[in-house]
Amino acid sequence: MNSIAQITPELLLPVGTREMLEAAVNNGADAVYFGVPHWNARGRTEDFTFDDVRDMIRYARIHGVRTFLAMNVLVFERELQELPEFLEKIISLEPDAFIIQDIGLARLIRAICPNQEIHASTQMTLASAEGVNLVKSIGFNRAVLARELSVKEIAAIKAATDLELEVFIHGALCVSYSGQCLTSENFGGRSANRGQCAQSCRLPYRIFVDGKEFRDTDAQYLFSTRDLCALPKLPELEEIGVNSLKVEGRLKSPEYVAAVSRAYRKALNRIPLDAKDMEPLEVLFSRGLTTGWLDGDNHQELVNGTFSNHHGMVLGQVVKADRGQIIIGLDSAISDAGENACYPQPGDGILFENAALGVSIGSRLYAAQVTHLPHAKRGDPKLLKLEFGRDFDTRQIAVGMQVYRNDSPALERELRKTFTDREQLARLPVHMTLSGKIGGPLKLSVYDTPKNAVEVEADFTLEEARNKGNDADKALRELAQKELSGLSATAYQLKHLDIQVDRGAFIPGKILRTLRQAAIEKLDEKRTEWKVLNPSAEAGKKFLNEIRDKFKSGAASSGAPAANGTTFAKTVSDSKRPIISVLVRNPDQIAALKGLDIDRVIMDFDWGVKYDESLQQIRDLGFAAGMATLRIHKPGESHYLKNILRLCPDFALVRNLGALSILKESGIPLTGDYSLNAANSASYDWLLSQGLTTLHPSWDLNSTQLFDLLENIDGERLELTLHQYMPAFHSEYCAFARALTTGRRFPECGKICTKHKVEILDHKGERHFLQSDAECRNTLFVGKPQSALKLLPRLRTAGVNHFRLEMLTEDAETVRRKVLIYTQAIQGKISIEDAIREAGIQEKYGLSEGQLFNESTWQDRKK
């Protein structure tokens, strides 16, 4: 571990409205983050104006709270070219930092304003020190780590980097690695990488194992994770030296923000928490709290499977239901809390549920009291009698139903006071000195810290009082204390007042009020002073023009050195003929490629499958043999990359930044995959500069955006997959283990994924394929494959000559038929229309055009 003194980490809270900002600031936040106008990864939050942002930054800075602007989305080429003026304007509002996903956007901000702080979003899927250190070279000041890391893994990253690290500690967990999820886009037509997540993972799904529906599971909501609560892990995260602790929730309520801020502030201040602190965290919004991945994989704990929405605090189970009242056996967490027990209050929302039968019933509580059954014995669980209004039919309630408390107006009212009641607002203590001599000026100096000291002078000459004496001096002191402590409309409170005024002086109250107001205004200005940044839109335009000129001149097309001393890009593109790669996912598919008009074969095998023989088999068939890296790289997972280095394939398909960092000096030619999320020329330029010969664009681009990109890059450096099963999500969570076993992690699961073929049926009646990779991570592949054949003529005109075909579970005969159809179309031997028709016949669930042909723009109609 780095030899650094243990720091108290920053507590970072989400802001979706102005009230949420005030709730965070007044309940202990050190920093807040909110969306940039028109640009943020929470498309359903309030879209602030520039004036809103300026005012919110000022409010936060006066209170000593840092502000981060979230612009953590992918940026398309046309948008990038139009951004310099916008960025100059938003940087001029003086945020502390930007949270960025897009590499091109980060570079553009750096060009416009070299001293602007930028943080690498969790959307960049940074899960290893190698990846973190690679993006450091772009100019990032901080990395927000992937949520799928354990405390041990976070410690390993911290020990190997000097970049600041930020870790999520509370709120919703995504089942997919952030930045690697296309579920919303594929199932709902809305891209998560563009701030429009439809939360498709929260929907119910049915499981089919080896073609038959699997009913021996309660996991209907198979991909809906519980919520994260890292309170038990804070001491370990502090000891590691994590710089920032982040709370998710820009779509939550101000009361939720207040509750979470208070609990974590208390914990960070070493004040023991009790049941009362946890109560609002569960009641206001909770799908069940867990430490997520911080304790390592626990597939049974991470997903409940029986629900996906807010359920709140577990109260217990129904033991008796009578007309008008219900008796429940209290959950041990409540009954064991003693005098700190959190019982429901009149008006609270109560939810009764039988998940197995799909029964869910709710009502407002009329009254509640602790009770007992006749002939109760010592040690029997405590009981709670719940009473409801006449409109609630208690005959719907059955013994054994689970009971939750999922709403509390009284609790919300108390939390709301923390940021609306002037008496409860957090204030900064200030010291004041009132000084002056009779016949001279009256001065007031104010400071909160020595570096924030200001002084103002009244346009008033101090005069003698007409009535002198001790009473007059006492009256002056009382008046000064009263007038100068009137700070309820400010961010301050008077801690100490020193009066150094000549005895017998007279000062009108109006003069004191004017002095106080002037001093506080000056102190506000002092506290909001910011470093000189001088953002320049012209510098940004120059940067973009230089990239465009570089691609047009061919300066960006040198490629990485191959083992034979030539360059891989050059050897495969000189002829301008199409270069066709086929990705296979099991060795049995390789032989089917014999004699076909392709150039390269990429091996992407499951856990335990050997590469040595397959590598030689591919070469014997006359093809270049490549190996794909995994989509994620975590601490301790370099053995897979070491295998690539040992076997030295003809090329490697790089899928994550950690792998790129490790392999870029290996001498093995590298190609970049769509998971690197290149969406614009500035990101293309940087990724290619890291040693990639070609690069696949992000699947967030549609055809219009793709051809916009091709106008400003070298088409020969772009590879596009013409046929594949789109990956909906890529997850550390194993749905195989959760649904089909009781195993928490490998090897308790018995590697069930290798023994069965599993399909997932969605709410539209479509089936999708669930696959595991060499590190037990799951990918859900959309059952209807996507074909980009319609774009082929335009792609060739734009200079694209690298094309890929991806196989999944097809048998050898099907692989051969598919590849033959596509190669004939690419070579012009059959028409595009005939190829699409023939390709569709080969597919079990048909063929899709996918996102490439989606020209619609999702509009949020909440307003």
Side-chain angles (χ1 to χ4, degrees):
M1 185 177 296
N2 292 337
S3 57
I4 57 172
Q6 184 170 325
I7 60 171
T8 299
E10 165 191 274
L11 180 58
L12 175 58
L13 272 296
V15 166
T17 65
R18 173 58 189 250
E19 277 197 327
M20 290 172 72
L21 171 65
E22 294 169 1
V25 167
N26 286 287
N27 283 282
D30 297 305
V32 295
Y33 64 101
F34 48 93
V36 171
H38 319 302
W39 292 91
N40 74 85
R42 290 295 180 270
R44 290 176 286 152
T45 59
E46 181 179 324
D47 200 5
F48 300 119
T49 66
F50 280 86
D51 287 340
D52 291 335
V53 172
R54 180 184 292 105
D55 182 56
M56 291 166 72
I57 290 172
R58 178 180 172 80
Y59 173 84
R61 191 160 286 148
I62 286 172
H63 287 81
V65 173
R66 300 221 296 160
T67 52
F68 307 149
L69 294 186
M71 201 169 174
N72 48 333
V73 293
L74 296 183
V75 179
F76 302 138
E77 183 66 18
R78 193 175 302 180
E79 297 167 336
L80 188 76
Q81 301 298 328
E82 296 171 353
L83 269 177
E85 287 89 352
F86 176 89
L87 289 172
E88 179 187 285
K89 184 177 180 181
I90 201 75
I91 291 170
S92 297
L93 301 181
E94 302 180 347
D96 289 84
F98 285 85
I99 304 172
I100 303 296
Q101 172 187 11
D102 192 289
I103 289 172
L105 175 60
R107 297 182 73 206
L108 179 57
I109 290 176
R110 269 281 179 260
I112 291 171
C113 187
N115 294 321
Q116 175 62 58
E117 186 172 330
I118 55 175
H119 297 172
S121 168
T122 191
Q123 295 284 120
M124 290 189 75
T125 327
L126 296 171
S128 71
E130 289 85 355
V132 168
N133 288 330
L134 185 63
V135 302
K136 178 185 175 183
S137 65
I138 300 172
F140 283 105
N141 306 89
R142 174 185 292 182
V144 187
L145 295 180
R147 280 173 263 208
E148 289 78 3
L149 294 165
S150 68
V151 169
K152 183 178 179 180
E153 290 165 335
I154 294 169
I157 296 172
K158 184 63 180 177
T161 184
D162 59 0
L163 206 63
E164 288 188 7
L165 298 183
E166 183 173 300
V167 173
F168 276 92
I169 56 165
H170 199 90
L173 286 169
C174 294
V175 74
S176 174
Y177 273 92
S178 295
Q180 301 299 312
C181 184
L182 298 171
T183 314
S184 177
E185 182 174 304
N186 279 289
F187 296 172
R190 292 157 47 178
S191 169
N193 281 330
R194 294 283 289 174
Q196 300 164 353
C197 179
Q199 296 194 333
S200 302
C201 56
R202 302 288 180 182
L203 298 172
Y205 294 89
R206 291 159 61 190
I207 309 169
F208 286 77
V209 179
D210 300 328
K212 296 181 180 180
E213 184 167 6
F214 183 76
R215 297 181 180 273
D216 297 334
T217 178
D218 60 353
Q220 182 184 14
Y221 295 93
L222 186 60
F223 306 114
S224 182
T225 56
R226 286 185 164 105
D227 292 338
L228 173 64
C229 177
L231 281 167
K233 311 303 293 182
L234 287 193
E236 294 173 70
L237 294 172
E238 285 189 83
E239 185 178 354
I240 289 169
V242 170
N243 302 87
S244 181
L245 304 174
K246 187 172 193 171
V247 175
E248 180 277 338
R250 280 189 275 160
L251 295 174
K252 303 293 197 310
S253 69
E255 292 80 7
Y256 173 90
V257 169
V260 177
S261 302
R262 285 167 70 87
Y264 280 89
R265 182 78 275 154
K266 189 174 179 180
L268 289 171
N269 290 345
R270 308 292 195 279
I271 302 172
L273 301 180
D274 57 30
K276 294 292 185 184
D277 298 305
M278 297 302 297
E279 179 186 18
L281 304 189
E282 296 188 80
V283 174
L284 295 191
F285 192 94
S286 168
R287 286 171 284 223
L289 300 180
T290 171
T291 54
W293 280 282
L294 291 172
D295 281 314
D297 291 342
N298 187 335
H299 306 305
Q300 305 300 329
E301 178 70 20
L302 186 71
V303 169
N304 174 283
T306 63
F307 59 80
S308 66
N309 57 345
H310 164 55
H311 270 48
M313 175 184 285
V314 175
L315 289 179
Q317 284 190 331
V318 175
V319 298
K320 186 178 180 181
D322 287 332
R323 186 178 181 85
Q325 65 180 28
I326 295 163
I327 296 176
I328 65 172
L330 282 171
D331 184 79
S332 60
I334 299 176
S335 59
D336 295 346
E339 61 183 25
N340 289 320
C342 302
Y343 296 110
Q345 305 174 55
D348 283 0
I350 306 296
L351 176 68
F352 299 90
E353 188 167 84
N354 184 327
L357 299 178
V359 177
S360 188
I361 304 164
S363 183
R364 291 284 175 189
L365 183 66
Y366 178 74
Q369 68 178 72
V370 177
T371 185
H372 60 83
L373 291 175
H375 314 298
K377 301 175 184 177
R378 180 177 295 181
D380 285 352
K382 286 185 180 179
L383 302 178
L384 190 68
K385 181 170 68 174
L386 305 178
E387 298 182 26
F388 299 90
R390 294 180 179 178
D391 58 340
F392 183 59
D393 185 1
T394 55
R395 290 175 297 181
Q396 305 171 88
I397 308 305
V399 172
M401 293 182 81
Q402 196 78 0
V403 187
Y404 302 86
R405 177 187 175 203
N406 65 356
D407 181 38
S408 178
L411 197 56
E412 290 191 13
R413 284 194 297 272
E414 288 303 309
L415 287 165
R416 189 166 187 79
K417 289 178 183 178
T418 65
F419 57 92
T420 58
D421 184 347
R422 283 190 174 186
E423 297 301 315
Q424 295 190 40
L425 299 184
R427 299 188 185 279
L428 300 165
V430 294
H431 301 259
M432 293 186 179
T433 300
L434 183 68
S435 61
K437 295 184 177 295
I438 293 174
L442 182 65
K443 299 178 181 180
L444 178 64
S445 62
V446 181
Y447 73 90
D448 60 336
T449 62
K451 72 173 184 177
N452 292 330
V454 299
E455 184 177 83
V456 292
E457 185 176 303
D459 184 17
F460 170 79
T461 301
L462 201 58
E463 300 175 352
E464 286 189 282
R466 294 178 181 177
N467 300 317
K468 300 180 181 179
N470 291 335
D471 288 345
D473 290 336
K474 180 181 178 182
L476 174 61
R477 291 180 178 276
E478 289 176 349
L479 178 65
Q481 182 72 36
K482 174 186 175 184
E483 295 295 350
L484 297 180
S485 63
L487 301 172
S488 62
T490 75
Y492 313 102
Q493 64 179 2
L494 180 60
K495 182 177 182 180
H496 177 75
L497 174 60
D498 184 16
I499 299 179
Q500 300 177 6
V501 176
D502 281 354
R503 294 176 63 83
F506 168 73
I507 307 173
K510 181 179 180 180
I511 296 296
L512 291 171
R513 289 194 295 274
T514 300
L515 267 180
R516 181 198 72 214
Q517 291 167 0
I520 293 303
E521 287 178 7
K522 198 168 182 179
L523 182 58
D524 281 350
E525 293 305 315
K526 184 73 175 177
R527 290 184 62 83
T528 55
E529 285 179 357
W530 194 235
K531 54 192 174 186
V532 178
L533 292 176
N534 296 322
S536 167
E538 290 306 312
K541 292 176 183 177
K542 179 182 177 183
F543 164 74
L544 295 175
N545 288 334
E546 287 173 351
I547 290 174
R548 187 162 51 243
D549 293 342
K550 185 196 302 185
F551 276 115
K552 287 182 178 179
S553 69
S557 299
S558 60
N564 62 5
T566 63
T567 63
F568 185 73
K570 191 174 182 62
T571 57
V572 297
S573 62
D574 272 353
S575 66
K576 306 297 183 184
R577 70 176 186 82
I579 306 300
I580 303 172
S581 302
V582 177
L583 184 144
V584 294
R585 287 193 165 91
N586 73 70
D588 295 337
Q589 295 173 331
I590 295 172
L593 303 174
K594 182 178 180 180
L596 294 180
D597 194 4
I598 65 172
D599 302 272
R600 308 187 300 168
V601 178
I602 306 165
M603 295 173 286
D604 186 14
F605 296 157
D606 197 355
W607 177 83
V609 180
K610 302 294 185 183
Y611 281 81
D612 307 56
E613 292 182 4
S614 296
L615 182 69
Q616 189 57 48
Q617 182 185 8
I618 292 167
R619 286 171 172 166
D620 289 344
L621 291 174
F623 308 133
M627 293 174 64
T629 74
L630 303 179
R631 277 173 78 179
I632 304 298
H633 179 245
K634 294 174 71 174
E637 290 185 358
S638 293
H639 53 277
Y640 193 87
L641 297 174
K642 289 177 181 177
N643 197 32
I644 293 177
L645 293 171
R646 177 181 66 85
L647 293 172
C648 198
D650 300 314
F651 66 98
L653 178 64
V654 178
R655 289 171 164 164
N656 65 75
L657 293 170
L660 179 58
S661 177
I662 291 171
L663 295 177
K664 70 176 193 171
E665 303 296 337
S666 67
I668 299 172
L670 307 177
T671 66
D673 210 357
Y674 57 83
S675 50
L676 296 175
N677 279 328
N680 55 65
S681 56
S683 56
Y684 250 79
D685 176 61
W686 185 82
L687 285 163
L688 292 175
S689 75
Q690 301 305 301
L692 298 178
T693 58
T694 60
L695 178 58
H696 197 296
S698 165
W699 278 126
D700 283 275
L701 278 68
N702 62 25
S703 58
T704 299
Q705 293 147 357
L706 174 63
F707 287 106
D708 285 343
L709 172 63
L710 281 166
E711 288 183 5
N712 289 328
I713 67 169
D714 179 0
E716 292 186 34
R717 305 295 298 276
L718 183 143
E719 179 183 27
L720 192 75
T721 300
L722 294 181
H723 177 94
Q724 75 160 343
Y725 296 88
M726 289 292 290
F729 65 70
H730 188 63
S731 180
E732 192 75 22
Y733 158 72
C734 182
F736 290 97
R738 169 62 181 88
L740 307 183
T741 79
T742 58
R744 296 170 299 168
R745 59 184 66 90
F746 176 81
E748 295 175 17
C749 61
K751 200 60 182 175
I752 193 72
C753 58
T754 64
K755 301 173 183 177
H756 299 283
K757 180 180 178 180
V758 173
E759 293 177 296
I760 304 298
L761 184 73
D762 69 16
H763 59 291
K764 297 180 179 178
E766 297 180 359
R767 292 197 191 190
H768 312 286
F769 305 108
L770 191 66
Q771 296 280 301
S772 63
D773 71 6
E775 288 292 346
C776 294
R777 297 185 185 107
N778 284 188
T779 302
L780 186 68
F781 290 95
V782 177
K784 186 181 292 186
Q786 172 179 296
S787 175
L789 273 173
K790 281 187 179 178
L791 296 180
L792 186 57
R794 289 185 65 194
L795 290 167
R796 297 293 284 136
T797 301
V800 178
N801 59 350
H802 288 79
F803 301 103
R804 192 192 311 169
L805 310 172
E806 292 197 359
M807 303 298 114
L808 190 59
T809 61
E810 299 94 330
D811 58 32
E813 183 180 346
T814 305
V815 167
R816 187 171 184 84
R817 286 199 302 265
K818 286 186 179 181
V819 174
L820 183 60
I821 291 168
Y822 277 87
T823 54
Q824 288 178 330
I826 294 169
Q827 302 294 348
K829 296 177 181 178
I830 61 173
S831 70
I832 300 297
E833 293 75 15
D834 287 344
I836 292 173
R837 183 176 62 254
E838 289 298 319
I841 293 172
Q842 305 301 319
E843 301 303 334
K844 183 176 180 180
Y845 302 124
L847 200 62
S848 165
E849 292 184 338
Q851 171 67 8
L852 280 171
F853 297 90
N854 179 12
E855 297 293 333
S856 63
T857 301
W858 179 71
Q859 297 292 330
D860 177 18
R861 295 178 174 82
K862 68 180 185 296
K863 298 180 180 67

